[in-house]
Amino acid sequence: MEKIRVELTKNPKEKPSCDNLPFGSYFSDHMFLMNYEKGRGWYDPRIVPYGPFELAPSSMVFHYAQEIFEGLKAYRTADGTIQLFRPQENFKRMNSSAERLCIPPVDVDFCVEALKQLVELDKDWVPDKEATSLYVRPFIFATDEHVGVHASHTYIFCIILSPSGSYYPEGLDPVKIMIESDDVRAVRGGTGFTKCGGNYAASIRAGERAAQQGYSQVLWLDGVHRTYIEEVGAMNIMFKIDGKIVTPALHGTVLPGITRKSILELAREWGYTVEERLIEVDEVIDAIKTGKMEEMWGTGTAAVVSPVGELAYKGEKYVIGDGGIGELTQKFYDELTGIQWGLRPDTHGWIVKVC
Ligand code: PLP
Ligand code: COI
């Protein structure tokens, strides 16, 4: 494995206070970089001071969005250990996104090692207040200086670190979600299952409209029939209907969330019936109207486990349960964050210790 060169910052930055830490606004002292060139592969892995890139205006990423990213977190436990949650899964998913976007794959084990080194170097940036963590953002983008549409021959891989609090200002209080019936996010054969910037660019208009009406995010329907539930802006969605856990199946349009996978594993272990299937929006509305909808929550790295208290659809508002946090939602949140913060045993081998 190629050795990672390290260049330390000469100007360490002041760290933000852990009180009221926002999500994704501060960045640590260092970043990891490596370059790719066709015929040579990934080269020059290095940890360097966090700072701007110098890129030609013709760099392909600016024109055709050949770009992918990931999101995971490093946590500080009560005894000061710093740990990551399932980092291999993120780099495996990055390779799945890479394949779809014609970006060369990365070596999963090498990336985990590089991330561990980076996080260890910037360990003082991992916040210690409850519900805070160091958000990790790996990304790859195309750098060929060319305005024809083809796969770039050169890329930059980068990892930056952001000490962060809750993604939603609501924290663990229920969020309000608007079901989007005009814009669509993905279709089969497209890029819905990847984490590419373009998916998020296309989602912003609906997100802005929802925000103007007081909703945190939109719940996407499928791009063909606008009938089936897909996912929320930055999280997968799950329902407890009549005692069963129901969530959209992964058919190529939904991001295969690592939190989703982890929560479904816990649910099955705890003896719940889990259905991964097509879910019509009308089924959800009917379940709410007939009192069968017991709980609804989203899952994601940034969002953790977020209870949904209210849904809006075609101008009508629907309150989920009593509008508060459901019992099972709370149980999932406590178990997942318990494992991530080292308060509960990691019986699944999900935790990777950094230092
Ligand atoms: N769906 C979308 C669109 C997302 O952006 C995210 C966040 O990464 C998720 C789902 C949840 O995925 P994960 O649990 O791997 O963070
Ligand atoms: C994440 O949960 O890691 C995300 O990437 C969601 C969002 C910040 C885009």
Side-chain angles (χ1 to χ4, degrees):
M1 221 172 253
E2 204 172 339
K3 198 165 153 26
I4 298 171
R5 168 166 79 78
V6 179
E7 181 194 330
L8 297 179
T9 181
K10 293 190 180 66
N11 303 303
K13 292 185 273 190
E14 198 181 320
K15 297 180 184 65
S17 154
C18 291
D19 298 317
N20 302 317
L21 197 55
F23 179 87
S25 297
Y26 295 96
F27 298 94
S28 75
D29 279 329
H30 298 92
M31 61 184 183
F32 173 82
L33 286 179
M34 61 183 175
N35 295 70
Y36 178 91
E37 209 177 286
K38 197 173 174 187
R40 183 173 178 188
W42 289 106
Y43 66 94
D44 196 14
R46 57 207 186 272
I47 291 173
V48 295
Y50 177 94
F53 296 116
E54 189 171 315
L55 290 171
S58 56
S59 293
M60 286 187 62
V61 63
F62 296 136
H63 306 274
Y64 311 117
Q66 204 191 359
E67 184 272 352
I68 53 174
F69 70 99
E70 269 302 326
L72 66 156
K73 285 176 174 173
Y75 306 85
R76 183 184 292 279
T77 70
D79 69 5
T81 305
I82 309 289
Q83 55 190 31
L84 300 164
F85 184 73
R86 312 190 80 173
Q88 288 89 351
E89 295 293 326
N90 289 90
F91 292 110
K92 281 192 217 159
R93 185 171 65 190
M94 191 170 217
N95 278 344
S96 154
S97 301
E99 199 279 330
R100 178 65 183 82
L101 277 282
C102 287
I103 290 173
V106 291
D107 182 313
V108 171
D109 292 337
F110 178 75
C111 287
V112 173
E113 272 316 303
L115 175 58
K116 282 165 73 176
Q117 280 192 38
L118 177 66
V119 171
E120 182 162 8
L121 181 63
D122 278 353
K123 61 177 184 298
D124 294 346
W125 286 84
V126 186
D128 60 1
K129 278 264 153 63
E130 201 183 324
T132 63
S133 58
L134 186 71
Y135 185 74
V136 176
R137 169 54 57 85
F139 57 108
I140 303 178
F141 57 94
T143 54
D144 271 12
E145 297 179 23
H146 182 63
V147 293
V149 184
H150 67 77
S152 182
H153 299 110
T154 58
Y155 298 86
I156 291 176
F157 173 103
C158 182
I159 307 177
I160 53 174
L161 308 174
S162 174
S164 292
S166 296
Y167 187 64
Y168 295 117
E170 291 89 336
L172 190 57
D173 289 341
V175 291
K176 296 186 347 181
I177 301 283
M178 178 173 261
I179 301 182
E180 172 62 38
S181 12
D182 293 325
D183 289 0
V184 298
R185 177 186 176 277
V187 289
R188 288 193 199 187
T191 55
F193 66 99
T194 74
K195 240 173 138 54
C196 68
N199 286 346
Y200 296 80
S203 78
I204 288 173
R205 182 170 73 173
E208 293 291 299
R209 281 196 300 242
Q212 274 162 16
Q213 295 178 55
Y215 290 85
S216 304
Q217 284 194 353
V218 303
L219 174 57
W220 297 106
L221 299 179
D222 76 278
V224 177
H225 312 281
R226 298 191 197 183
T227 295
Y228 301 104
I229 302 285
E230 297 229 302
E231 64 181 322
V232 178
M235 55 188 194
N236 294 110
I237 197 76
M238 298 186 183
F239 308 93
K240 183 161 174 257
I241 305 177
D242 229 0
K244 292 184 208 154
I245 295 173
V246 185
T247 194
L250 304 175
H251 289 303
T253 51
V254 168
L255 190 79
I258 294 155
T259 321
R260 173 189 185 277
K261 184 170 161 172
S262 309
I263 293 296
L264 296 185
E265 269 181 72
L266 290 176
R268 289 187 170 108
E269 278 169 30
W270 293 350
Y272 284 97
T273 302
V274 174
E275 295 180 353
E276 294 178 68
R277 61 169 169 84
L278 288 174
I279 307 163
E280 284 190 28
V281 60
D282 288 349
E283 176 185 347
V284 167
I285 301 298
D286 281 353
I288 299 171
K289 285 183 178 163
T290 56
K292 289 184 177 162
M293 178 66 74
E294 295 166 43
E295 298 183 34
M296 175 173 174
W297 65 95
T299 63
T301 298
V304 195
V305 174
S306 282
V308 178
E310 185 184 311
L311 268 187
Y313 183 50
K314 295 194 169 159
E316 298 287 329
K317 290 181 181 176
Y318 302 91
V319 175
I320 315 295
D322 61 3
I325 305 175
E327 207 180 302
L328 182 60
T329 306
Q330 181 78 54
K331 198 173 163 197
F332 281 134
Y333 177 86
D334 291 343
E335 182 67 15
L336 184 74
T337 56
I339 296 168
Q340 293 169 334
W341 296 332
L343 300 168
R344 296 198 180 180
D346 168 33
T347 55
H348 305 86
W350 287 343
I351 294 298
V352 171
K353 289 216 169 2
V354 172
C355 55

